[in-house]
Amino acid sequence: MADKQISLPAKLINGGIAGLIGVTCVFPIDLAKTRLQNQQNGSRLYTSMSDCLIKTIRSEGYFGMYRGAAVNLTLVTPEKAIKLAANDFFRHHLSTDGKLTLFREMLAGCGAGTCQVIVTTPMEMLKIQLQDAGRLAAQRKLMPETVAAGSVETKSSTAMQITRELLREKGIAGLYKGLGATLLRDVPFSMIYFPLFANLNNLGKRGVDGPAPFYVSFISGCIAGSSAAVAVNPVDVIKTRLQSLNRGNTEDTYSGVTDCIRKIMRNEGPAAFLKGAYCRALVIAPLFGIAQVVYFLGVGEFILSFLPKKVQPQ
């Protein structure tokens, strides 16, 4: 993140805290993104992000906007920890005399994105079921002809109930449905974000070796995060569709990434791959902005300062 030297434990604490605060702040926008990406032609309930949020509050109350947030809040810390630790590990081993070429920066980002899907895939799988349940419940009331009679009601299901059901029916593979699409999203995202942030941040450095001012790191994080988010949005749409277990009877089902791309192109057109892109940019930019605030304040270092120091041998 920022240029100052931060120990790995402090980075993990900072990343975890930033993730918790960020998820709490932007989760309603993420919920709108999921619902907008999942609705297909013939079953559209929402016309925009604001329309989705207003209708969600009216039908499900304020806390309806946070359905699935518990999963994110529980797993976002290990996800950030893996991503940060992996990126640091690969950057260290790929650097020569402390310097990295653009290709090696992208390679390090690729490694970080690959490692984080261990946590990201099941987290997204569970979150999407909970987020989209309200859309299906609203369809049952307002558009009953679009909902299959035998579809499972998930509005009141908890993450633990969905997890047990998936494990019983499909084993651990059930929680990793959409793994390929998650890799196709997170690996390019990290390959774009980390090098773009590093190079934008370097433009604002004070002198050759001086750190960049806080506001430069903040803006760099927002620009790099939102740019990477929009760039990989088509894959995010595919991932969301593949990981959704319940659908209306007028909505397509998909057997894999290729089948999903083909059906979306045929039935909805290329513009469908940009569904939720605005929401996703609005989610990612604050997440990285909040991370910069946490790093700038040195929250992780402050917490670690209270831990007992190891006594050095005489």
Side-chain angles (χ1 to χ4, degrees):
M1 290 292 179
D3 283 86
K4 60 179 180 178
Q5 294 300 311
I6 304 174
S7 67
L8 182 57
K11 283 187 177 183
L12 300 185
I13 293 172
N14 286 332
I17 292 173
L20 292 172
I21 297 172
V23 167
T24 303
C25 293
V26 303
F27 193 83
I29 303 174
D30 187 65
L31 179 137
K33 174 198 74 81
T34 297
R35 294 188 177 185
L36 289 170
Q37 287 181 339
N38 254 338
Q39 64 179 8
Q40 300 179 25
N41 293 340
S43 61
R44 292 187 62 191
L45 284 172
Y46 315 112
T47 58
S48 64
M49 178 185 73
S50 58
D51 182 55
C52 178
L53 293 176
I54 290 170
K55 288 178 177 175
T56 297
I57 293 172
R58 286 176 180 171
S59 61
E60 303 167 57
Y62 175 79
F63 289 105
M65 295 191 299
Y66 282 89
R67 180 170 284 117
V71 174
N72 241 163
L73 290 170
T74 302
L75 297 178
V76 70
T77 297
E79 181 200 37
K80 296 295 182 189
I82 291 172
K83 187 172 187 174
L84 286 167
N87 186 63
D88 269 11
F89 174 82
F90 288 115
R91 288 180 73 90
H92 173 73
H93 285 279
L94 289 170
S95 64
T96 304
D97 297 325
K99 295 182 179 179
L100 279 171
T101 63
L102 178 60
F103 174 74
R104 291 191 174 191
E105 284 185 316
M106 294 177 69
L107 204 57
C110 175
T114 302
C115 292
Q116 79 172 80
V117 299
I118 297 169
V119 175
T120 304
T121 305
M123 178 179 75
E124 294 271 309
M125 181 70 185
L126 296 172
K127 183 190 72 171
I128 285 170
Q129 312 320 312
L130 296 167
Q131 285 182 327
D132 204 40
R135 180 183 70 90
L136 294 172
Q139 279 186 225
R140 284 185 177 88
K141 294 178 181 178
L142 304 175
M143 307 167 67
E145 71 283 356
T146 67
V147 180
S151 63
V152 179
E153 173 65 72
T154 59
K155 185 177 180 181
S156 59
S157 295
T158 65
M160 286 303 298
Q161 289 171 334
I162 297 172
T163 300
R164 284 195 296 265
E165 188 73 17
L166 286 169
L167 289 174
R168 186 174 66 250
E169 292 183 0
K170 301 179 181 178
I172 193 68
L175 289 172
Y176 281 87
K177 182 179 180 183
L179 173 62
T182 306
L183 279 167
L184 287 174
R185 183 196 68 173
D186 289 348
V187 170
F189 178 91
S190 294
M191 289 175 69
I192 295 170
Y193 172 76
F194 285 111
L196 182 56
F197 169 77
N199 285 279
L200 288 173
N201 198 48
N202 284 339
L203 293 176
K205 277 188 172 181
R206 295 190 180 101
V208 178
D209 299 318
F214 164 67
Y215 66 86
V216 171
S217 296
F218 177 84
I219 294 171
S220 298
C222 290
I223 293 174
S226 56
S227 298
V230 173
V232 302
N233 193 76
V235 189
D236 191 53
V237 172
I238 295 167
K239 184 198 70 67
T240 299
R241 297 281 183 94
L242 289 175
Q243 289 186 318
S244 296
L245 299 176
N246 295 307
R247 298 203 173 279
N249 58 9
T250 62
E251 296 177 339
D252 289 324
T253 56
Y254 313 102
S255 60
V257 172
T258 304
D259 181 57
C260 185
I261 294 171
R262 181 174 56 82
K263 286 179 178 176
I264 290 176
M265 286 291 292
R266 183 185 65 199
N267 299 328
E268 302 172 65
F273 291 106
L274 293 178
K275 285 183 177 180
Y278 177 63
C279 297
R280 185 160 164 75
L282 286 180
V283 167
I284 297 297
L287 282 176
F288 286 97
I290 290 167
Q292 288 300 332
V293 172
V294 173
Y295 273 78
F296 179 74
L297 295 175
V299 177
E301 298 92 313
F302 178 75
I303 293 173
L304 289 175
S305 69
F306 288 95
L307 297 178
K309 303 290 190 300
K310 287 184 178 181
V311 178
Q312 297 294 326
Q314 298 297 322

